[in-house]
Amino acid sequence: MVDDLVPDGAGNHTAPSADCPVETALAAIAGKWTTLLLRELSRAELTFGGLKDTLPELSDKVLADRLATLVDRGVVDRVVHRGYPNRVAYSLIDAGRELRPLLIELYRTGTRLQSLRGGGGDAVSSQRP
Amino acid sequence: MVDDLVPDGAGNHTAPSADCPVETALAAIAGKWTTLLLRELSRAELTFGGLKDTLPELSDKVLADRLATLVDRGVVDRVVHRGYPNRVAYSLIDAGRELRPLLIELYRTGTRLQSLRGGGGDAVSSQRP
DNA sequence: CAGTATCCCTGTTGATACTG
DNA sequence: CAGTATCAACAGGGATACTG
């Protein structure tokens, strides 16, 4: 079936599959802290320590994991600057910038969901006998 | 800071937070099989068994979990039709339809990421000594 | 400074079997 | 038909301590 949700037949799966475009996109931003990191890196190139300063509650280990994953995914570039001490700079690359409209749409959708809950409509009651 | 990624200050968190619109949206579609279920339910109202037929590899338990969660989230409606045997119909409600543009954007972004990988640009090499 | 190495803990997923 | 109950298996996330 091909409709506007699945415009080209690449999304017609009956089980989760890495081939599905939707899963590809979700995989690119998956993981706790990842969208926060993408937000910071879309503002500016940052070093490991710079990221720690910006997100103080994020542990070294998870930060390192997240960054390595983003580099693996081809979303972030990692450049070592030799010196005393060494520094390592992280920045978004092309594929990472492809994520920007998605993050904007996530923000927009989340905002609308929140106003649907808080604002007008009362919670829809689903009958559970 | 307020920019086009964080247009209204509701997204300025330094740690993952349910208040963040981005997390709200991600939470709404979170979970393995969830986007597949949303795809099916956005095509038509379906019963529990109808969903099982459409997604044969999805177990009863996970299907029931996913549906209960979607109902909790206010995204899906659940209506019991008494009879012999009983049937239960699931359908998207307003908040669920708010997710449609997001799913479309996920599809679009995933498609572009896939073509960036497979097609043109060679993988960007990141230096790892 | 920029990470690694362990270890643990929890949540999620799934297989199987059973019920109103 | 539409689930629930139980249990096993695994992955993600995090605290702490250590290193080139």
Side-chain angles (χ1 to χ4, degrees):
Chain A
M1 183 182 284
V2 170
D3 53 33
D4 59 325
L5 265 192
V6 184
D8 61 7
N12 277 323
H13 300 272
T14 60
S17 157
D19 296 344
C20 176
V22 170
E23 305 230 10
T24 300
L26 284 173
I29 59 170
K32 206 167 168 180
W33 297 94
T34 302
T35 56
L36 259 9
L37 282 171
L38 292 172
R39 183 193 66 191
E40 295 309 319
L41 291 174
S42 84
R43 287 175 175 158
E45 168 174 313
L46 284 167
T47 61
F48 194 90
L51 286 164
K52 283 177 59 169
D53 291 345
T54 316
L55 304 170
E57 298 170 69
L58 174 53
S59 74
D60 285 10
K61 182 214 167 196
V62 173
L63 175 55
D65 282 2
R66 242 22 44 119
L67 288 169
T69 304
L70 289 170
V71 170
D72 274 3
R73 286 172 188 163
V75 162
V76 163
D77 193 22
R78 175 182 187 272
V79 179
V80 178
H81 297 280
R82 296 269 166 217
Y84 304 93
N86 288 344
R87 290 183 318 104
V88 180
Y90 293 91
S91 59
L92 281 193
I93 56 186
D94 289 21
R97 281 183 224 102
E98 294 285 341
L99 297 176
R100 177 171 264 269
L102 172 56
L103 293 172
I104 291 172
E105 179 58 33
L106 281 167
Y107 197 100
R108 204 190 63 82
T109 300
T111 301
R112 304 188 95 193
L113 289 177
Q114 288 177 355
S115 70
L116 272 182
R117 288 171 193 171
D122 25 24
V124 175
S125 63
S126 109
Q127 10 169 331
R128 275 234 176 227
Chain B
M1 183 182 285
V2 168
D3 53 32
D4 59 323
L5 264 192
V6 183
D8 61 6
N12 278 322
H13 299 273
T14 59
S17 156
D19 296 344
C20 175
V22 170
E23 305 228 13
T24 300
L26 285 174
I29 60 169
K32 205 167 168 182
W33 296 94
T34 301
T35 56
L36 259 10
L37 281 172
L38 291 173
R39 181 192 68 191
E40 294 310 318
L41 292 175
S42 84
R43 286 174 176 159
E45 167 174 314
L46 283 167
T47 61
F48 193 91
L51 285 165
K52 283 177 59 166
D53 292 345
T54 316
L55 304 171
E57 298 170 69
L58 174 53
S59 73
D60 285 10
K61 181 212 166 195
V62 173
L63 175 55
D65 283 2
R66 244 18 46 121
L67 289 170
T69 303
L70 289 170
V71 170
D72 275 2
R73 287 172 187 164
V75 162
V76 162
D77 193 22
R78 174 181 186 274
V79 178
V80 178
H81 296 279
R82 297 266 164 218
Y84 305 92
N86 287 344
R87 290 182 319 102
V88 179
Y90 293 92
S91 58
L92 281 193
I93 55 186
D94 290 20
R97 280 183 226 103
E98 294 285 340
L99 297 176
R100 177 173 265 268
L102 173 56
L103 293 171
I104 291 173
E105 179 59 32
L106 281 166
Y107 198 99
R108 203 190 62 82
T109 300
T111 302
R112 305 187 95 194
L113 289 177
Q114 288 176 355
S115 70
L116 272 182
R117 287 171 194 171
D122 25 24
V124 175
S125 63
S126 106
Q127 6 168 336
R128 277 237 174 221

